[in-house]
Amino acid sequence: MSDALVTPALITAAQNGDRDAIEAVLKDAEPAIARLAAQAASHYQRQGAADQDQLENDGRVAAWMAIGRFDAERAGEDVADSFRGYIYKTVARSMQDSLRGQRFDGCAGADDDAIKVFGRMVDQADGDLYLAEQMCRHVPPAGRRLDKDRARAARMAWQGRTSLDRPIGEDGATLAESLAESLGVPEDMITADDISREYSRVRVATVRAVLDSMGARQADVLRHDYGIGVDQIDTTEDLAAVLGTTTVVVRKARDNAKKTFEAKFIQAYTNTPAEARAWAGAAAAKRAEGRAAARK
């Protein structure tokens, strides 16, 4: 911004709602907005083309909102310099947020730390984003693990719309083509949420299929424990009464059922031995964590 144009009097007038003063401030900020937008778009081009026009629009809105938020009383003697710096930082921050929205398909909660953790898990999962999402919750050291919502947001952020072009069948059909056909909508209307729901549907179907392949008593215990297709039962005593057996039998069946389900689900859901080993390792780590917590 220009020292000659931005004066304390102009700032005061703009903050008081003077339209001419506001326009003067925004006009003076325009070169900085354009420069920041161009730099941001160029920097992130390797991750997917960023919309420079949209970045500039977001920057103008941020500059306009910053006028009213600027605290002249805390700015010190050089109000004009402080004001210029505040506008610049606000615009730059706004563009970072806008880039995250463009790159990450509008995924709320996809913070930088979560994405870094997810990126490391993607490497360990040999590029399988859904395996990486699960691994984020169990594999990283304590304090770096992601909860369910952050892991999902990071996966969707990383995924963006690129996975829509990923072949998923022997006929070479892409995920976008498959979902478009099943949902009855054009491919360009498929969203990351559609992808998430599809994979969720597959997981649910896999869980039900695995339960159906297990012994009746073990399957019944798990179904009632988690409310899968039946009413959830909270206590071992109540479950024993419903199944017409003893609590000792229920506890033993539950322990065996969890081991059986884990092995069968991993075998059914993973695509490669490497994925199966990663899932098994994540499950073992989670069990160890649970045992450690129980001992405290």
Side-chain angles (χ1 to χ4, degrees):
M1 292 184 183
S2 168
D3 290 336
L5 290 178
V6 178
T7 64
L10 181 68
I11 296 170
T12 300
Q15 290 190 314
N16 288 334
D18 185 291
R19 180 174 298 180
D20 291 338
I22 292 173
E23 290 181 357
V25 169
L26 296 180
K27 181 178 180 180
D28 200 61
E30 188 64 27
I33 293 172
R35 184 170 63 256
L36 283 168
Q39 290 172 349
S42 175
H43 180 69
Y44 284 91
Q45 188 173 12
R46 66 179 183 273
Q47 298 185 21
D51 189 335
Q52 184 171 334
D53 289 340
Q54 182 61 50
L55 290 173
E56 290 182 5
N57 288 334
D58 291 342
R60 294 182 189 107
V61 172
W64 174 71
M65 295 182 66
I67 293 172
R69 292 199 295 261
F70 177 69
D71 189 346
E73 293 183 359
R74 298 179 58 185
E77 295 182 359
D78 199 337
V79 175
D81 276 349
S82 296
F83 181 73
R84 288 193 300 272
Y86 183 74
I87 293 286
Y88 189 91
K89 290 179 182 178
T90 301
V91 169
R93 190 182 307 115
S94 171
M95 288 187 185
Q96 289 177 351
D97 293 340
S98 180
L99 275 169
R100 183 174 292 123
Q102 291 181 39
R103 167 66 180 87
F104 300 153
D105 206 22
C107 299
D111 57 277
D112 291 338
D113 285 342
I115 293 166
K116 289 177 183 177
V117 171
F118 186 84
R120 287 193 287 272
M121 294 303 101
V122 169
D123 290 338
Q124 293 188 33
D126 294 327
D128 187 310
L129 303 187
Y130 288 85
L131 173 61
E133 178 182 351
Q134 299 299 322
M135 293 172 64
C136 281
R137 302 172 58 190
H138 310 299
V139 175
R144 297 292 293 166
R145 295 170 191 164
L146 308 183
D147 61 26
K148 180 179 179 181
D149 291 338
R150 287 183 74 206
R152 177 178 180 274
R155 187 262 301 164
M156 293 178 68
W158 189 280
Q159 183 179 48
R161 296 182 61 86
T162 58
S163 65
L164 293 173
D165 298 324
R166 176 185 177 186
I168 61 170
E170 295 180 358
D171 60 355
T174 65
L175 180 56
E177 292 168 343
S178 176
L179 285 176
E181 181 177 352
S182 63
L183 296 175
V185 301
E187 287 182 35
D188 59 5
M189 292 182 64
I190 300 297
T191 68
D193 279 338
D194 292 326
I195 299 172
S196 179
R197 283 191 291 269
E198 174 65 10
Y199 276 89
S200 178
R201 182 193 66 77
V202 172
R203 283 195 294 270
V204 170
T206 304
V207 167
R208 293 182 182 276
V210 169
L211 287 173
D212 289 343
S213 73
M214 294 171 58
R217 175 159 289 169
Q218 290 184 7
D220 284 342
V221 169
L222 290 184
R223 287 191 179 102
H224 283 293
D225 275 349
Y226 298 98
I228 302 174
V230 295
D231 291 335
Q232 186 172 6
I233 298 177
D234 295 328
T235 68
T236 300
E237 290 74 14
D238 290 342
L239 181 53
V242 169
L243 297 181
T245 186
T246 66
T247 56
V248 173
V249 171
V250 168
R251 291 191 181 96
K252 184 176 181 180
R254 180 182 289 121
D255 289 341
N256 291 333
K258 289 180 178 179
K259 296 175 184 177
T260 301
F261 179 88
E262 177 185 306
K264 285 179 173 287
F265 184 85
I266 289 174
Q267 182 179 13
Y269 197 75
T270 57
N271 297 314
T272 67
E275 288 183 15
R277 288 193 296 271
W279 276 61
K286 187 65 174 179
R287 288 195 299 273
E289 181 182 326
R291 289 193 296 269
R295 288 195 296 268
K296 291 182 179 180

